[in-house]
Amino acid sequence: MRLSFACFLLLFATVSSVNGPYRNFINQHINGGMLENRCDQVIGSRGITVADSNRCKETNTFIRATTNHITRICVSAGEPYGVLTKSLQPFDIVICRLRNQGASRPHCQYRGQSRTRRIAIRCEGGLPVHYGGDIVYFDN
């Protein structure tokens, strides 16, 4: 019985250690209905800043997709890209760039741009945990 409980605790600790970064990834980068003119509102309401500070992020990218579509990149819809995994298909994204450099929350002001790009993410335990960037692709 003790061995089973110990295994359960180990499994729970492993899932919890990935679950935090996965939830953070969802908060910072997934928004299926994101619009170019909503960067200020969405970034503000989600509390997205430079890690461990109140400083506005220079750039934040939102992927217009569901968590299931993004998670599939880690499992079957991606290919190795250095330490990251690159999506096999392009995604609609909104790139929010800071307009007022050096600002701190709640005074972040962004300009949004829509793009269609393949994306590169870092996966842990079959879940996306870090947005590595977008990749310009050429459809032949």
Side-chain angles (χ1 to χ4, degrees), residues 103-138:
S104 293
R105 190 169 178 235
H107 304 290
C108 306
Q109 296 175 0
Y110 291 89
R111 177 175 293 113
Q113 293 180 317
S114 293
R115 297 283 184 254
T116 301
R117 301 278 197 268
R118 290 175 69 177
I119 59 173
I121 59 177
R122 188 173 74 236
C123 301
E124 291 179 8
L127 298 172
V129 296
H130 175 74
Y131 184 82
D134 55 90
I135 303 154
V136 177
Y137 75 99
F138 298 99

Side-chain angles (χ1 to χ4, degrees), residues 40-109:
D40 295 353
Q41 293 84 0
V42 174
I43 289 173
S45 69
R46 292 185 178 198
I48 299 170
T49 60
V50 173
D52 300 323
S53 77
N54 226 14
R55 292 189 347 252
C56 305
K57 281 183 77 175
E58 293 289 322
T59 303
N60 194 77
T61 302
F62 291 100
I63 308 162
R64 293 178 181 163
T66 65
T67 55
N68 288 339
H69 283 107
I70 305 306
T71 301
R72 278 191 218 129
I73 296 169
C74 296
V75 180
S76 61
E79 61 188 7
Y81 188 69
V83 297
L84 304 172
T85 302
K86 176 173 56 173
S87 66
L88 296 175
Q89 298 298 317
F91 284 86
D92 289 331
I93 60 174
V94 173
I95 303 168
C96 301
R97 289 193 172 86
L98 188 64
R99 291 187 299 156
N100 55 339
Q101 302 301 312
S104 293
R105 190 169 178 235
H107 304 290
C108 306
Q109 296 175 0

Side-chain angles (χ1 to χ4, degrees), residues 17-54:
S17 69
V18 173
N19 204 18
Y22 172 62
R23 289 190 185 280
N24 188 51
F25 176 87
I26 291 170
N27 181 61
Q28 286 192 6
H29 300 293
I30 298 182
N31 186 328
M34 184 65 187
L35 301 172
E36 295 174 20
N37 63 353
R38 301 273 301 149
C39 289
D40 295 353
Q41 293 84 0
V42 174
I43 289 173
S45 69
R46 292 185 178 198
I48 299 170
T49 60
V50 173
D52 300 323
S53 77
N54 226 14

